[in-house]
Amino acid sequence: MEHSKHYDIAIVGYGPTGVTLANLLLKQGLSVLVIEREANILQLPRAIRFDAECMRVFQTIGITEQLLQEIAPGPGMKFQDANGELLITWERPVVKGNQQWSSAYRIHQPDLEKVLRDHIADHPLLDLKLRHDVYKVDQSSESCSIYYEDLSKGTLHQAQAKFVIGCDGARSLIRRLIGTTFDDLNLHSQWLVVDFIANEKENDLGDYSIQYCDPKRPMSYIKGTGQRRRWEIMVMPEDDVKSLTHDEKIWSLLEDYIQPEQATIERAAIYTFHALLAKNWVKDRLIIAGDAAHQTPPFMGQGMAAGIRDAANLAWKLKQVIQDQQDISLIQSYFTERYSHVSEFIQGAVQFGKIIQNYCEDAEFQVQTAKLKNFITPIPKLGAGFYRPEHHQAGFISPQFLFENQKLSDDLVGYQFALVTRDASILTGSELQHLQAEYAGQMTVLAANAAIADWLQTEQAVAAIIRPDRYIFGFAQDRDSLIQLLEHAGIAMFAQV
């Protein structure tokens, strides 16, 4: 057995969550070991949506220029009944909103993963082990011993890491080692998922996704990037599951919408959609993220996005504990904050799933549908954690500010805390110098502009601190409350002034 190399973080799994987390950790100067079973990126289509908040994460990583060549904004979703009557409209504006990105984007998952992997392919702090498999992890008070096999050679290896992060999917080994069970949000149904490559651009049903709430055969249509089209078809009790993935059966199910001469079937598979939340995501130095921690039906397009949010929430906290000597209890806030946030999206997906599957059969679902007629994407608040709850907007995602030179605030800040004010005199020159010198790499002080001033005035505050993941840490109404806010964030204002 090859014995221990030492790393700050070991990541198990190199899908979208794992590779996003690796990018953010490396950006902060942490050493990272990645262990992944597969030799290459799986080229089949899987996730096909992410949102503006995810785009801000990719902006922080520094890949938006490459990514914009692979993605397209998506306008939203419509629900209709068996007679074609419109039930629900879910608009997702393609114009840029207050996060300075469109509400939703289409993506081919392998393209996204390639851009993320290529960005750190030659990073000196990354040790990437493809075709390797973890079989054991031991914990001590200071670190973890991680044991893994080189599947191509059959050799065994060991490494040390301060934390092990399981981004290893629905069957996660790291989740099993944590020893947690699931909260079940009560939606389990089988669906046939079929991905097509259309021959002509005209062979689609428009830019909107469509949910067909037909009790005889609920279905979903989703337009992907380029010529990609997806149909999700609910498996009914009378179906012969073994024959559902056969080409002739697929074409017969979709004969009203698409013909064999119009497209090529790229993939057909039967999935069981689940709504599950692991009850615990952190046990000492073992942590889970992405599908290892939560599984959602696809009806809100939030599966991959939730894992990317996990990575953005977790990476800076790991850096604070490892490099900045923050208490390890900070890591527990990752679980409490993200559990509540992702739960709201999964509950929304369950509600939509039950409407799609039960509309016209149950009066209760017709009432629910009427209430959701003009649905607006929720913006959940974090669960209790590392922010000051006194202000009602603390714990929510912050806006991104556009400066007069067309610079975006996230680019100016980087992956660290930001202090924004609408009154430059609230701190003295020596105090500002202290912040910029003593906490370089931890906090950026943004010069006030009109957008920042308007936002703070609306929130009846003179200043705010925004966390590295762009969530609002807290607001200050005057100089004294700003000093207290900085101290709560771990910034010792007068230590060297």
Side-chain angles (χ1 to χ4, degrees):
M1 178 181 287
E2 179 187 85
H3 283 283
S4 298
K5 291 184 180 179
H6 294 262
Y7 303 88
D8 290 316
I9 305 293
I11 299 173
V12 184
Y14 208 39
T17 302
V19 70
T20 300
L21 180 61
N23 270 272
L24 292 170
L25 294 170
L26 293 167
K27 192 175 186 71
Q28 299 175 106
L30 297 174
S31 59
V32 178
L33 168 67
V34 174
I35 302 170
E36 164 59 49
R37 280 185 57 89
E38 302 300 325
N40 298 294
I41 296 169
L42 183 62
Q43 290 303 309
L44 293 174
R46 287 154 290 148
I48 54 177
R49 290 283 186 276
F50 66 83
D51 58 20
E53 186 180 336
C54 294
M55 195 61 168
R56 290 180 75 176
V57 178
F58 300 142
Q59 179 188 351
T60 298
I61 289 169
I63 60 169
T64 52
E65 185 176 343
Q66 303 96 303
L67 207 53
L68 286 169
Q69 301 173 31
E70 309 289 348
I71 64 178
M77 183 181 296
K78 295 180 179 180
F79 293 67
Q80 63 183 51
D81 66 15
N83 298 317
E85 295 295 322
L86 185 64
L87 302 173
I88 299 172
T89 300
W90 178 12
E91 296 284 354
R92 306 197 76 176
V94 297
V95 297
K96 292 181 178 178
N98 73 351
Q99 297 195 57
Q100 303 301 329
W101 296 105
S102 299
S103 296
Y105 291 91
R106 305 186 187 104
I107 186 66
H108 181 48
Q109 182 175 325
D111 294 340
L112 171 63
E113 291 188 46
K114 184 177 188 304
V115 172
L116 284 162
R117 288 193 187 193
D118 287 351
H119 190 66
I120 52 175
D122 300 318
H123 200 291
L125 293 176
L126 174 66
D127 198 351
L128 176 58
K129 303 290 187 183
L130 300 175
R131 288 295 290 145
H132 288 68
D133 191 29
V134 176
Y135 62 89
K136 179 182 177 183
V137 180
D138 290 332
Q139 289 197 75
S140 70
S141 60
E142 299 295 326
S143 66
C144 298
S145 296
I146 186 165
Y147 300 83
Y148 58 97
E149 179 185 0
D150 182 335
L151 297 175
S152 63
K153 298 177 181 177
T155 54
L156 302 181
H157 305 265
Q158 180 189 4
Q160 300 288 321
K162 295 183 177 74
F163 292 91
V164 175
I165 318 301
C167 303
D168 47 344
R171 300 177 181 177
S172 169
L173 169 67
I174 306 305
R175 185 184 64 239
R176 296 199 301 272
L177 293 176
I178 287 175
T180 187
T181 56
F182 286 108
D183 285 325
D184 190 335
L185 300 187
N186 193 28
L187 190 143
H188 304 273
S189 55
Q190 281 191 314
W191 287 67
L192 169 64
V193 178
V194 188
D195 286 283
F196 296 91
I197 305 293
N199 297 336
E200 300 176 10
K201 290 183 179 179
E202 292 75 24
N203 291 333
D204 66 57
L205 302 176
D207 282 347
Y208 282 84
S209 299
I210 304 173
Q211 301 287 358
Y212 295 92
C213 305
D214 183 346
K216 294 179 181 178
R217 179 71 74 177
M219 296 195 297
S220 304
Y221 163 81
I222 307 103
K223 183 175 181 179
T225 55
Q227 300 299 98
R228 297 184 179 279
R229 313 283 183 262
R230 174 173 293 177
W231 283 88
E232 296 170 349
I233 305 164
M234 187 174 174
V235 177
M236 305 305 287
E238 65 272 15
D239 286 330
D240 175 7
V241 175
K242 293 181 181 179
S243 68
L244 272 182
T245 56
H246 295 172
D247 287 5
E248 60 272 19
K249 182 62 175 178
I250 292 169
W251 293 120
S252 70
L253 288 169
L254 295 173
E255 62 185 356
D256 292 340
Y257 307 100
I258 190 168
Q259 304 301 318
E261 64 272 13
Q262 295 178 324
T264 301
I265 297 173
E266 184 179 22
R267 177 196 68 151
I270 292 175
Y271 287 88
T272 301
F273 295 160
H274 294 294
L276 300 171
L277 274 160
K279 292 182 178 179
N280 188 14
W281 303 8
V282 179
K283 183 179 181 182
D284 302 323
R285 293 179 177 272
L286 297 181
I287 305 167
I288 52 175
D291 286 353
H294 41 74
Q295 296 160 48
T296 180
F299 305 116
M300 288 191 72
Q302 282 290 326
M304 182 178 72
I308 291 163
R309 287 184 172 92
D310 291 347
N313 184 294
L314 179 59
W316 64 271
K317 294 176 179 177
L318 290 167
K319 183 258 187 184
Q320 293 243 318
V321 170
I322 292 171
Q323 291 186 347
D324 302 330
Q325 285 76 56
Q326 276 268 18
D327 192 274
I328 195 171
S329 62
L330 177 63
I331 303 300
Q332 194 64 33
S333 73
Y334 155 70
F335 165 59
T336 57
E337 290 176 357
R338 287 293 304 132
Y339 184 96
S340 173
H341 192 285
V342 74
S343 176
E344 186 165 337
F345 277 119
I346 297 176
Q347 288 170 350
V350 168
Q351 184 179 23
F352 275 145
K354 289 182 176 179
I355 288 171
I356 294 163
Q357 295 170 188
N358 294 280
Y359 188 81
C360 296
E361 289 190 335
D362 192 313
E364 176 188 345
F365 291 111
Q366 294 181 26
V367 171
Q368 287 185 28
T369 302
K371 292 178 180 177
L372 296 170
K373 187 169 183 60
N374 295 297
F375 183 74
I376 298 173
T377 305
I379 304 174
K381 184 176 184 177
L382 297 174
F386 189 69
Y387 60 91
R388 304 305 300 167
E390 294 86 358
H391 192 285
H392 70 282
Q393 284 296 315
F396 283 99
I397 190 75
S398 72
Q400 179 168 203
F401 306 104
L402 183 64
F403 281 72
E404 288 74 11
N405 58 5
Q406 298 305 299
K407 294 284 188 181
L408 292 170
S409 58
D410 289 1
D411 293 332
L412 299 173
V413 172
Y415 189 51
Q416 55 186 345
F417 284 87
L419 170 62
V420 297
T421 71
R422 63 183 173 99
D423 180 0
S425 66
I426 194 168
L427 295 175
T428 67
S430 61
E431 289 167 348
L432 287 170
Q433 288 176 2
H434 168 67
L435 280 177
Q436 292 165 345
E438 184 69 14
Y439 296 98
Q442 295 182 52
M443 174 171 280
T444 297
V445 181
L446 276 185
N449 74 353
I452 291 173
D454 287 348
W455 177 61
L456 289 171
Q457 180 141 10
T458 299
E459 301 301 338
Q460 298 182 317
V462 296
I465 294 177
I466 299 170
R467 307 186 331 178
D469 56 4
R470 317 308 179 195
Y471 279 78
I472 301 164
F473 179 78
F475 292 90
Q477 284 69 46
D478 51 33
R479 174 184 165 81
D480 288 344
S481 60
L482 175 57
I483 299 300
Q484 293 174 4
L485 191 64
L486 286 160
E487 290 173 347
H488 283 305
I491 306 298
M493 272 298 297
F494 300 103
Q496 297 180 18
V497 175

